[in-house]
Amino acid sequence: MTAVSLTSVNPTAPDSAAVPDGSPDRIVGRVVAVAGARVTALLQRDRNGTRGPHLGDLVKIVTDHSTVFGFVTALNVDYPGQPNELRRAELEMVGEIDHRAGDDAPFQRGVTAFPALDDKLAPATSDDLRRVFTRRLSANQRSARIGALHQDHDIPAEILASELLGKHFAVLGTTGAGKSCALVTILRAILSQHEFAHVLMLDPHNEYATAFKDRAEVVTPDDLELPYWLLNFEELREMVIGTGSPQPDADAVLLNQVVTQAKRNLAQSPEAAAQITIDTPVPYRLSDIAKIIDGILGKLDRPADAAAYHRIRERFQHMQADRRLSFMFPGAGSSGALQGLVTRDNMAKILGRLFRVPVGGKPITILDTSGVPSEILNVVVSLLSRMSFDFALWSDRKAPVLLVCEEAHRYAPSDPHAGFEPTKRALSRIAKEGRKYGVALCLISQRPSELATTVLSQCSTIFALRMTSHKDQEFLAAILPESSQGLMGELPSLRNGQAIAVGEGVPLPTRIDFDRLAEEHRPRSGTAPFGTAWQQDQLQAEDLNDVVKRWRHLD
């Protein structure tokens, strides 16, 4: 991308002039020096009160054969108020229209013919903006409006769903900048044109159900079904063994042995049993776990060798007795010996609800994870991420899936010692291989610098809302293409609902104003209403019993 610096024209130069093609563009400057990729020009002094180029504006330079477009990234004045005052601006060139291809030649990213000396600079007109920011679409492409250009609100800001989803995207910005509303705007725009979409959203704050209402299947821990037998070995090991075992490796070997045998007990034939491994998602009975352990304990010569088996059985008993895990252990809350409980194979039903098969007028599943115990939340996200990839893979791309991951820095942290490695690995696999198998990823985070680069760098479209942290700004600048660096300087000054949109899913990197959502479509993501709640007693003493009951997860 060409960086351009423009320096002020002779004050006696005319305020407007005809460009080579005869169009009545208002000339605001001329190129006076070219040195490789850098161009220096003078801006003429504005004597008639007309608007000059502003920071972030798209402007154009007319050459002999093309019109080159670039963004204003800096403005400066040397010797202000003096007779020899010089006004300068810096641009980043983003593309061109080659007039040799005809009057209706399309805008193309990239520059093939750089400006020459005395080439004129002019503001981009509304027609120019429409030409630059409106792509020519093929028969199977569709664009969707999400807002308007900041430079001209008459020009819609549009996304290309196929490019946005096919190569992943991210919505980033500080808390309170409008990420949730921006995400809803984007998803509603996509769903308005794709009624048979398959979207799974992980909602850690229970804020998105109100934004989609009857278009969404809302799943809460109260009616969620993710039976324990869907867990792979790494996920099961995290839940059963964790980090508290005195002999984690030995316990893991025994866990593999016991669970694999329990799974094979329900196989339809010896041949089928031989194909089952610890990672095969087939049902097994918890009571079989107890029987297998008891059988092994009866054959041990040394009581000391029994400790690991007792730990595994006790941990299964503890999980089965935990009412918070009822979505994973049917009938949770019972204590004592492990029970057989329900072992029906309802995997197809679970997949249908999570991934909207059939869609049934609800193309998005919103999974409220706010009630999932924090100590196993990473395991649940790992399971859902892995299931999203495997479902897309084994459905032969007939039902491509979009996985929307809020608070992504929690599940794919840059710190190798933080988080749950299988979760990070599952998200990384989607980021790297998902487009080949039909699974897209949307990441939302207010702390992009804490998000694993291997995951975020795979997002080819980024919507960056206001970002005040220098660490986050520097991190984002490091992973974005050079052509976007100038726009990134605007991040701290963005208003709520504004973003710098960069990447394959938008026609050109630019500053956009998201459309304002109707009140009934807004997510429930505001700050707690201290100012109004503290004006009166809203919680009475008799209400505390209900609070305690919900706290304890009791019916």
Side-chain angles (χ1 to χ4, degrees):
M1 194 59 60
T2 310
V4 181
S5 172
L6 302 172
T7 320
S8 184
V9 176
N10 188 327
T12 63
D15 287 326
S16 63
V19 294
D21 63 0
S23 61
D25 290 316
R26 179 171 59 88
I27 302 305
V28 296
R30 63 187 177 91
V31 176
V32 296
V34 178
R38 299 198 63 81
V39 177
T40 303
L42 296 177
L43 292 176
Q44 62 191 33
R45 184 176 299 175
D46 179 8
R47 297 194 307 240
N48 297 330
T50 55
R51 178 182 182 276
H54 286 192
L55 191 68
D57 281 358
L58 187 74
V59 295
K60 62 184 179 182
I61 299 174
V62 181
T63 71
D64 289 340
H65 303 294
S66 65
T67 299
V68 180
F69 293 88
F71 284 106
V72 178
T73 60
L75 294 167
N76 212 333
V77 177
D78 292 335
Y79 316 114
Q82 302 298 317
N84 59 341
E85 176 182 288
L86 298 176
R87 299 186 177 192
R88 296 182 294 133
E90 295 181 0
L91 312 178
E92 284 187 358
M93 309 311 292
V94 292
E96 65 185 359
I97 296 175
D98 189 343
H99 300 301
R100 291 170 295 185
D103 293 339
D104 63 343
F107 170 82
Q108 301 283 343
R109 286 192 181 189
V111 178
T112 58
F114 296 112
L117 295 176
D118 291 325
D119 282 343
K120 302 299 188 291
L121 174 76
T125 65
S126 292
D127 288 341
D128 291 329
L129 293 174
R130 290 187 186 278
R131 200 166 178 180
V132 169
F133 287 98
T134 303
R135 288 188 182 180
R136 294 184 179 181
L137 305 179
S138 61
N140 60 346
Q141 286 183 313
R142 303 180 72 180
S143 62
R145 176 190 170 107
I146 58 172
L149 299 187
H150 181 69
Q151 185 172 347
D152 187 340
H153 279 192
D154 291 332
I155 311 298
E158 298 180 326
I159 54 174
L160 288 176
S162 57
E163 297 294 329
L164 190 75
L165 300 174
K167 300 176 183 177
H168 315 306
F169 68 102
V171 180
L172 311 172
T174 190
T175 300
K179 292 189 305 299
S180 299
C181 288
L183 175 63
V184 171
T185 301
I186 294 169
L187 291 181
R188 290 188 66 87
I190 293 173
L191 296 181
S192 68
Q193 298 185 351
H194 301 82
E195 59 180 313
F196 298 106
H198 305 271
V199 182
L200 174 60
M201 173 186 286
L202 307 183
D203 182 3
H205 306 299
N206 188 23
E207 58 182 316
Y208 290 105
T210 57
F212 295 93
K213 292 186 169 62
D214 58 352
R215 299 207 67 196
E217 174 75 10
V218 180
V219 181
T220 70
D222 292 333
D223 59 6
L224 171 64
E225 286 186 89
L226 282 179
Y228 58 89
W229 48 263
L230 287 174
L231 298 170
N232 68 11
F233 179 61
E234 286 183 308
E235 295 155 356
L236 187 62
R237 173 175 174 164
E238 177 69 13
M239 290 194 65
V240 176
I241 301 174
T243 58
S245 171
Q247 295 178 306
D249 293 337
D251 287 2
V253 172
L254 300 181
L255 178 66
N256 189 330
Q257 173 190 0
V258 170
V259 173
T260 301
Q261 182 58 53
K263 289 185 174 185
R264 289 174 175 172
N265 283 354
L266 296 182
Q268 299 297 315
S269 66
E271 292 76 14
Q275 298 177 19
I276 292 176
T277 70
I278 185 65
D279 290 329
T280 306
V282 294
Y284 61 94
R285 290 188 293 258
L286 294 179
S287 57
D288 282 357
I289 297 290
K291 292 176 183 178
I292 293 169
I293 290 178
D294 287 341
I296 295 174
L297 290 176
K299 300 177 182 178
L300 292 178
D301 296 327
R302 296 184 303 171
D305 296 335
Y309 292 99
H310 287 301
R311 284 194 296 269
I312 292 174
R313 180 166 57 186
E314 290 170 1
R315 181 56 182 158
F316 269 110
Q317 290 173 342
H318 174 75
M319 292 187 296
Q320 183 177 306
D322 191 339
R323 297 179 62 88
R324 301 175 304 162
L325 303 182
S326 59
F327 65 90
M328 191 169 284
F329 294 88
S334 59
S335 58
L338 293 174
Q339 304 297 316
L341 301 178
V342 179
T343 56
R344 58 192 175 93
D345 187 353
N346 57 345
M347 185 171 177
K349 177 185 174 183
I350 293 169
L351 293 176
R353 189 182 187 204
L354 290 178
F355 301 114
R356 308 309 309 136
V357 180
V359 174
K362 296 182 177 181
I364 179 170
T365 295
I366 299 175
L367 180 52
D368 173 17
T369 61
S370 61
V372 175
S374 58
E375 62 267 28
I376 68 162
L377 180 57
N378 269 312
V379 172
V380 171
V381 174
S382 173
L383 172 59
L384 292 168
S385 302
R386 183 174 52 79
M387 287 177 66
S388 298
F389 186 93
D390 289 343
F391 171 75
L393 172 65
W394 296 110
S395 62
D396 199 23
R397 302 202 299 184
K398 293 178 181 177
V401 172
L402 169 63
L403 176 63
V404 181
C405 189
E406 261 277 16
E407 301 279 356
H409 55 274
R410 294 173 58 180
Y411 312 122
S414 56
D415 183 352
H417 303 294
F420 181 43
E421 185 60 31
T423 311
K424 185 190 302 186
R425 193 159 55 246
L427 291 172
S428 180
R429 188 183 185 193
I430 292 175
K432 294 177 181 178
E433 305 177 37
R435 62 186 300 248
K436 295 185 294 185
Y437 300 107
V439 55
L441 185 63
C442 169
L443 303 176
I444 301 94
S445 176
Q446 69 266 31
R447 287 180 272 177
S449 61
E450 297 181 16
L451 188 56
T453 307
T454 54
V455 177
L456 183 57
S457 62
Q458 297 295 322
C459 294
S460 68
T461 305
I462 290 179
F463 299 92
L465 287 83
R466 185 173 64 253
M467 208 171 294
T468 55
S469 165
H470 290 294
K471 184 178 180 181
D472 289 334
Q473 293 175 36
E474 291 171 357
F475 175 81
L476 201 56
I479 67 170
L480 288 175
E482 183 180 352
S483 60
S484 309
Q485 299 306 308
L487 289 171
M488 290 299 108
E490 301 181 36
L491 286 177
S493 61
L494 294 179
R495 298 177 65 182
N496 285 6
Q498 294 183 339
I500 303 299
V502 179
E504 299 292 331
V506 293
L508 203 64
T510 191
R511 181 172 175 172
I512 67 173
D513 294 355
F514 282 104
D515 284 337
R516 184 173 179 81
L517 288 167
E519 192 62 34
E520 63 269 22
H521 296 152
R522 295 177 67 83
R524 193 180 67 178
S525 56
T527 303
F530 286 92
T532 56
W534 284 5
Q535 298 300 317
Q536 58 182 326
D537 264 344
Q538 296 189 28
L539 192 67
Q540 305 302 319
E542 55 268 23
D543 298 326
L544 295 178
N545 288 329
D546 290 335
V547 172
V548 171
K549 185 179 292 187
R550 289 195 297 271
W551 194 334
R552 292 172 174 170
H553 299 272
L554 298 176
D555 296 330

